[in-house]
Amino acid sequence: MVEHVAAGLVENNQIAGAVKVFPEIGDSREALLSMPADNIAAKIAEVVKSLAGGNSLSAVGVGFPGIIREGVVEESPNLQQIKGFHLREALETAFASSGARVPVRIYNDADATAAGIAATRGVMGKLSRVWTLGNGVGFGRYPWSPGAWEGGHSVVTLDPKENFCGCGGRGHLEGILGHRAMRLRFLDLEPEEVFENAKNGEMRCSEFVTRCHRALAAATATSIHMEGPGTFYLTGPNANWIDVGTLDRLVHDMVKMSPLQGSRFEVIPTNDDLGIIGAAVSAAAASAAA
Ligand SMILES: [Zn+2]
């Protein structure tokens, strides 16, 4: 969620029935930005209850943008009002008030997407990493592991003039590849136009598109040097702007130690289902383990 919340009932790693979305299509895209934290929690609980339709749920998983720790949203740059909010407690209380004891788990949204990819592709035994390219740049991984994992804020340049990241930090991947950052950089062009112009050979735009690829390759190479090689999935509204062949080549230039070679990239069209499935599957596994 950032612009909207999507919810679904998950059975056997699949969505059963319809996905519910709020604010509904046609409502203001900004509605969530101005909604107080309590109301967001109440609305999530209401949608979940209506999906359950009186049946008991084994667990509820929520994917939420930002840094999540023990059910608390510690930081959420795009939904500032929820910073410090104990979302898990608020949801469990809401379910308890209607007589249901349901364990709730909150995950970073990119982690939920990574879990959804692992579950739907049958690769839950492997390390899967995902870059979500949209307004910001998210980094998710499965299996879930405690940590901040703010890969979108990897430092990919030492140029002190690179200061477009939404977090305010200098030299960050998101400051180059994030949609918001691109709009700040190209005040005269929309990001879509930048990539279109680059295809037509316009110099300033093609240089920037090359820089985007180098930045993403650099952050990926850092992840490989820290955690080893593997599959990196690209998803989110802007994933289609990335040329996987170029990215492969750049990473190959950046990672030379032979035990660390063999990573690959795959673009997965953006969709809400992966996050819903991933949050549910992770929550069910976590509450079963507890
Ligand atoms: Zn940043």
Side-chain angles (χ1 to χ4, degrees):
M1 58 174 285
V2 167
E3 285 176 356
H4 66 268
V5 175
L9 192 61
V10 176
E11 288 174 351
N12 303 320
N13 295 357
Q14 286 179 342
I15 293 189
V19 168
K20 292 204 172 189
V21 174
F22 81 86
E24 284 167 39
I25 294 155
D27 289 356
S28 162
R29 285 156 61 94
E30 315 281 286
L32 276 180
L33 299 180
S34 54
M35 194 183 277
D38 285 321
N39 295 24
I40 293 179
K43 189 73 194 169
I44 294 174
E46 178 194 318
V47 172
V48 170
K49 279 185 222 165
S50 80
L51 281 165
N55 297 310
S56 76
L57 299 170
S58 53
V60 170
V62 181
F64 205 89
I67 300 179
I68 316 296
R69 204 169 61 90
E70 303 285 328
V72 178
V73 181
E74 294 198 322
E75 184 66 75
S76 192
N78 297 306
L79 294 167
Q80 285 290 346
Q81 72 273 33
I82 208 158
K83 179 173 175 158
F85 188 70
H86 204 315
L87 183 58
R88 187 179 72 202
E89 200 173 85
L91 290 176
E92 285 181 341
T93 305
F95 295 130
S97 72
S98 51
R101 261 194 82 236
V102 188
V104 176
R105 293 286 186 281
I106 317 293
Y107 299 96
N108 168 268
D109 55 347
D111 281 341
T113 301
I117 292 169
T120 51
R121 306 211 151 205
V123 291
M124 296 187 82
K126 288 192 199 165
L127 174 61
S128 295
R129 283 163 282 189
V130 56
W131 294 111
T132 59
L133 309 181
N135 208 26
V137 175
F139 175 78
R141 72 195 292 289
Y142 183 88
W144 181 83
S145 168
W149 302 113
E150 285 292 336
H153 301 272
S154 298
V155 174
V156 294
T157 166
L158 300 181
D159 182 349
K161 292 196 290 296
E162 281 293 344
N163 63 348
F164 296 118
C165 191
C167 81
R170 286 181 200 269
H172 292 188
L173 173 63
E174 182 177 309
I176 295 174
L177 205 48
H179 200 93
R180 177 186 170 277
M182 288 186 211
R183 296 189 73 176
L184 291 172
R185 182 184 305 266
F186 289 89
L187 294 170
D188 55 333
L189 292 172
E190 286 297 322
E192 292 76 6
E193 296 174 302
V194 172
F195 282 80
E196 197 53 45
N197 292 356
K199 266 191 217 153
N200 301 328
E202 204 269 310
M203 185 73 102
R204 180 178 62 135
C205 294
S206 24
E207 278 175 8
F208 175 72
V209 168
T210 301
R211 195 190 316 193
C212 284
H213 283 78
R214 291 185 62 81
L216 185 55
T220 303
T222 298
S223 178
I224 294 169
H225 285 123
M226 302 294 272
E227 287 205 282
T231 305
F232 288 81
Y233 298 95
L234 308 176
T235 189
N238 298 347
N240 288 331
W241 292 347
I242 299 299
D243 180 75
V244 167
T246 304
L247 202 54
D248 264 330
R249 190 165 44 73
L250 290 166
V251 168
H252 195 76
D253 290 343
M254 293 174 182
V255 178
K256 285 298 181 188
M257 294 178 209
S258 60
L260 299 185
Q261 284 175 5
S263 291
R264 53 182 285 272
F265 291 96
E266 188 177 332
V267 175
I268 296 187
T270 188
N271 79 63
D272 289 332
D273 292 9
L274 292 172
I276 294 172
I277 294 170
V281 166
S282 292
S287 58

